[in-house]
Amino acid sequence: MTHLPAVQPGCIVEFLQDNQPVIAWVLEAVSGKTRVFTIAQREAKLPVSRILPWTGPVQAAGASRSEMLEALRTHHSRRDTLAESIDTLEIWELAQGELAQADILWLGGLIFTDPTPDHLAALGRKLLQTKTHFRFNPPQFEIFPEDVVLRRQEELRRAEERRRLVGFGQDFLRALWDRAQGKATPLPQADAEHEAKLRALLMTRITAPDDRDSETLWKTMAQGLPEEPWMELLLAQAWGIVPRHYNVHLARAEYDWEPSWAAAFAEEVERLRTAHAEADLPQVATPFITVDAASTQDIDDGFWAEAEGEGWRVQMVLACPALAWAWHSPLDLAVRHRFSSLYLPEGVSHMLPEALGTEALSLRADGPRPALVVECRVNAAGEITQCTPQLARVRIAANTTYEAVEKALRDGKVPMLETALAAALTLRQRRIQHGAVITEQPDPTISLHGDQPEVRVHTPASTPNAQAMVSEFMILANTALAALAVEQHIPLLFRTQNIGLPPECAGVWSEPQDIYRILGRMGPSLLECVPRRHATIAAKAYATFTSPLRRYVDLINMGQILAVLHGTPPPFSHADLEALLPSLCLRAEMVGQVQRTRPRYWKFEYLRQRAKTRHFPAVLVDAGTPLATVALPDLALFLKAPRKVFGDKLRVGQRFHLRLGRVDPLCGEARILEAFEV
């Protein structure tokens, strides 16, 4: 056959419907439009452009509907039979490389000697099915080259695998959700490969929820499940992939909790220990003390104060890991990724290897240590009149605690502490005069007991004077060194908060309603390479140096100062810090989120465990409409509830006892059922 008949009445044709060829009898063909009778015994109007390019044969005009139907069924059956014997891969091997595309007559000539319309229609049907090798581009078939064929075969294989995985996953996830709801639903049986892929998908959705590659698959697979913000985590817990109290944000931050992370850097750790032990440094004989919580091991700051005329001479001593630190080394990059130590109810994970952070470099009272000594002279008005940093070897006289210092101040038996407190309170008063905002609220201690942990909350003894002393001296060191760096053009990472606060915000605030009001006006602090005002600290420039064992930013800033003291260029130029800043801010956010959210999670778990057995003291801090807000001072939490729960006449500062209903630690929500005014 050298040509195919034109579309005309009596001609048998095929057209695509729902991506499948349908055989039909042409009843009318006028001006590019046709009316056809299909094998399904229906009439349809079609443009000629929809007719597939294998037409014929042409039957006698005037046939009855039964005769047309019989002819259609005969040719349809014949074409199906012929298609079974056609090997389209053989056709592709003959055609590929010869032409980029070809019509049905040319392709039919490769395997048929004298093809009839039924032969060509059978071939056309088979080619439409072979999507990996051919693509129908009317009126011709595109013939894919071998590399495209291989790629499309792989795509089809993946699509089929995805289809089977989705089918399995939908049933499996529904069964897991039943289990998460406490039902004893058996899990569907599946091969190990599908289970492994589903496990990997759940973990990806838990640890990287913004991953776009997994998002589409998850949305398809999770169809029919209820809207639940932590659905993936709940399903993984029901499956036993992760434990009940899994630390999601720790996993998302890719923070290695176990101290064994440092084993890979043992050689560098030993080099640093040796360098610190052998460093040739002048001796400073000041009997410094450190003040920390009793459990603190990474001690990175201490002080000594003495009266001098009408003012004071205050010496701060800071641990000095930046001495001999190898910037950009594998250890430095690992510590940069960790960014800061984590202090969670589960325990502590230190930023530095423990052999350094809690032993060799920690300011323990068990031997001399290299340290940065920051000597400041403060006048009677609380102004810094002189700041002199010095790298020296020091010996800590005592490691003490907030409680011990508070008691010593009450007893009045340690003159140095009384002098230090006088200096600290003068420094604080000057900051307040310049707009400083200071909040003092209990910091509850959270402890976990047992395998399915019982959460216990303890409010430590109040130590306001000891806390003020330590915090003011650390602010003094950070402010003085930042000012020195600005004066000498030393690049630093500054902490800024360049916002406007009303004058009435300045002061020391301890009542929950005052703290809530002040927090609502305070903006976040930023990490920047340009010195700007820090409003709540009341400093023209502020950079942190005082926790170099715990915070990477402090480690960098200390390295910048040490280089200048040694007469060498700082390890980071201003441009270097600008380039580094985005990645540091990202790590600050991710690691900081762990530190913020995990204690909060355990506080809500504490509420959940006791919601049915006790009431909780609260203070109304905002009588808003429609939701009012209360503070739980013992937990440092704020909760919201409809205003009507608290009664008709509300005033800020009102005290209640709360009866709670459902508590969701994951979402950080607790439903207040009743509020009884105290």
Side-chain angles (χ1 to χ4, degrees):
M1 176 175 281
T2 58
H3 66 279
L4 291 167
V7 177
Q8 56 189 290
C11 184
I12 293 179
V13 297
E14 293 189 359
F15 64 92
L16 286 177
Q17 183 172 308
D18 297 330
N19 216 28
Q20 295 294 323
V22 176
I23 191 169
W25 181 297
V26 177
L27 299 174
E28 295 179 2
V30 180
S31 302
K33 298 180 180 179
T34 66
R35 183 168 62 89
V36 299
F37 175 74
T38 72
I39 195 171
Q41 303 184 56
R42 295 176 182 173
E43 290 189 14
K45 294 181 179 180
L46 301 173
V48 172
S49 59
R50 281 195 62 187
I51 303 299
L52 292 170
W54 43 87
T55 56
V58 178
Q59 306 292 314
S64 66
R65 291 176 70 90
S66 60
E67 289 173 335
M68 289 188 288
L69 181 60
E70 179 63 27
L72 290 176
R73 287 174 174 172
T74 299
H75 286 285
H76 178 69
S77 176
R78 185 180 301 157
R79 292 174 182 191
D80 276 351
T81 302
L82 288 170
E84 291 176 1
S85 63
I86 295 175
D87 185 354
T88 50
L89 299 186
E90 177 186 357
I91 297 173
W92 176 79
E93 289 177 355
L94 292 171
Q96 73 100 10
E98 296 290 331
L99 295 174
Q101 57 183 11
D103 60 28
I104 194 71
L105 283 170
W106 189 88
L107 292 168
L110 295 177
I111 57 172
F112 301 123
T113 303
D114 188 16
T116 66
D118 286 335
H119 285 92
L120 297 177
L123 174 58
R125 292 180 176 188
K126 201 66 177 287
L127 291 174
L128 287 173
Q129 297 173 7
T130 315
K131 299 180 184 298
T132 53
H133 294 68
F134 300 92
R135 178 165 58 199
F136 184 48
N137 188 14
Q140 299 191 321
F141 282 92
E142 185 178 346
I143 304 165
F144 292 134
E146 185 175 9
D147 61 327
V148 175
V149 168
L150 293 175
R151 186 179 71 247
R152 291 175 69 86
Q153 285 177 326
E154 178 62 18
E155 290 171 353
L156 283 177
R157 184 194 68 76
R158 290 181 180 177
E160 175 60 21
E161 173 60 26
R162 178 190 176 93
R163 185 191 65 77
R164 291 192 292 117
L165 178 61
V166 167
F168 158 72
Q170 287 178 333
D171 294 338
F172 202 91
L173 294 183
R174 289 191 190 97
L176 283 178
W177 178 243
D178 286 345
R179 285 195 170 191
Q181 301 303 108
K183 301 176 183 178
T185 304
L187 297 179
Q189 295 296 317
D191 59 52
E193 182 180 359
H194 278 170
E195 283 200 6
K197 288 183 176 180
L198 188 55
R199 285 173 182 262
L201 175 63
L202 281 175
M203 290 307 300
T204 299
R205 297 304 303 158
I206 291 169
T207 59
D210 296 328
D211 179 73
R212 294 191 175 184
D213 292 339
S214 65
E215 184 177 9
T216 303
L217 178 59
W218 170 254
K219 286 183 176 179
T220 303
M221 199 177 289
Q223 286 180 358
L225 293 176
E227 291 292 329
E228 164 59 54
W230 292 99
M231 175 61 74
E232 298 93 330
L233 176 61
L234 295 174
L235 296 180
Q237 289 173 334
W239 199 357
I241 298 175
V242 298
R244 179 181 175 189
H245 299 292
Y246 184 65
N247 193 336
V248 174
H249 294 291
L250 185 72
R252 289 180 180 176
E254 298 180 333
Y255 192 104
D256 194 339
W257 177 261
E258 297 299 328
S260 56
W261 72 269
F265 309 103
E267 186 175 334
E268 177 66 4
V269 168
E270 186 56 36
R271 184 191 70 79
L272 284 166
R273 288 170 62 104
T274 302
H276 277 247
E278 297 178 353
D280 184 15
L281 300 173
Q283 300 281 342
V284 170
T286 304
F288 294 104
I289 68 167
T290 67
V291 183
D292 294 278
S295 60
T296 301
Q297 294 178 295
D298 47 350
I299 304 170
D300 45 19
D301 56 71
F303 65 88
W304 178 266
E306 57 188 350
E308 188 176 72
E310 295 184 354
W312 298 271
R313 174 175 175 253
V314 181
Q315 290 178 284
M316 284 77 65
V317 59
L318 308 178
C320 199
L323 176 64
W325 187 261
W327 303 102
H328 310 296
S329 67
L331 175 60
D332 175 60
L333 297 179
V335 171
R336 182 186 302 174
H337 180 79
R338 295 174 72 75
F339 192 77
S340 73
S341 298
L342 288 174
Y343 302 88
L344 307 181
E346 295 92 325
V348 179
S349 186
H350 299 282
M351 180 184 76
L352 294 178
E354 290 188 352
L356 298 175
T358 65
E359 297 177 19
L361 310 187
S362 180
L363 295 180
R364 293 159 52 169
D366 60 0
R369 296 280 196 283
L372 180 66
V373 178
V374 183
E375 182 178 294
C376 291
R377 283 177 164 78
V378 179
N379 65 21
E383 299 170 325
I384 306 170
T385 59
Q386 183 180 345
C387 173
T388 307
Q390 176 189 10
L391 183 60
R393 190 171 295 279
V394 303
R395 184 179 292 273
I396 304 300
N399 298 129
T400 187
T401 65
Y402 289 105
E403 291 81 2
V405 168
E406 196 73 20
K407 183 177 184 303
L409 287 169
R410 285 197 304 269
D411 295 343
K413 295 181 180 180
V414 183
M416 190 281 288
L417 291 179
E418 295 177 4
T419 300
L421 179 60
L425 294 179
T426 301
L427 287 165
R428 171 174 286 193
Q429 185 57 38
R430 178 172 178 78
R431 290 200 303 115
I432 292 173
Q433 291 170 358
H434 285 78
V437 180
I438 302 163
T439 58
E440 293 182 344
Q441 59 181 330
D443 186 13
T445 300
I446 304 168
S447 58
L448 310 178
H449 303 268
D451 294 334
Q452 296 297 323
E454 176 197 356
V455 185
R456 299 176 189 172
V457 175
H458 167 69
T459 301
S462 177
T463 56
N465 289 325
Q467 294 278 358
M469 192 185 309
V470 172
S471 64
E472 289 301 325
F473 288 163
M474 295 310 103
I475 291 172
L476 171 62
N478 290 332
T479 304
L481 289 174
L484 184 68
V486 171
E487 180 184 331
Q488 298 188 14
H489 306 290
I490 304 171
L492 290 182
L493 293 167
F494 294 93
R495 182 61 66 179
T496 69
Q497 191 189 39
N498 196 19
I499 60 174
L501 288 173
E504 60 268 22
C505 288
V508 181
W509 308 98
S510 57
E511 291 298 321
Q513 59 269 31
D514 294 328
I515 293 174
Y516 181 80
R517 174 176 56 86
I518 293 298
L519 290 178
R521 297 185 176 187
M522 289 169 55
S525 64
L526 304 175
L527 193 63
E528 298 187 89
C529 298
V530 177
R532 304 183 201 277
R533 177 171 171 265
H534 195 297
T536 54
I537 288 177
K540 294 180 180 179
Y542 191 76
T544 54
F545 297 84
T546 54
S547 295
L549 302 179
R550 311 179 191 193
R551 295 193 298 244
Y552 189 74
V553 168
D554 297 41
L555 179 61
I556 285 181
N557 285 342
M558 180 167 282
Q560 300 290 92
I561 292 291
L562 286 191
V564 173
L565 292 179
H566 282 127
T568 60
F572 297 93
S573 67
H574 181 84
D576 293 335
L577 292 180
E578 287 281 6
L580 190 59
L581 190 60
S583 63
L584 291 180
C585 290
L586 178 62
R587 291 309 297 165
E589 172 57 28
M590 297 194 74
V591 178
Q593 193 172 39
V594 182
Q595 187 62 65
R596 292 191 305 272
T597 60
R598 195 58 175 174
R600 180 177 171 83
Y601 170 87
W602 287 115
K603 290 176 184 179
F604 277 94
E605 176 64 12
Y606 171 83
L607 293 176
R608 190 195 68 78
Q609 292 179 3
R610 290 161 176 77
K612 294 181 180 179
T613 59
R614 59 161 290 189
H615 294 167
F616 301 91
V619 178
L620 186 74
V621 296
D622 182 13
T625 302
L627 296 178
T629 305
V630 291
L632 276 62
D634 294 345
L635 293 172
L637 283 178
F638 295 107
L639 299 180
K640 291 182 181 293
R643 181 187 172 98
K644 63 182 180 181
V645 171
F646 303 97
D648 297 328
K649 296 181 179 180
L650 300 185
R651 67 182 185 280
V652 170
Q654 257 179 301
R655 295 188 176 271
F656 296 89
H657 281 167
L658 306 181
R659 184 170 73 87
L660 301 181
R662 181 177 181 271
V663 180
D664 186 347
L666 279 174
C667 294
E669 297 174 351
R671 184 184 178 193
I672 301 174
L673 299 179
E674 291 182 280
F676 308 98
E677 187 174 3
V678 179

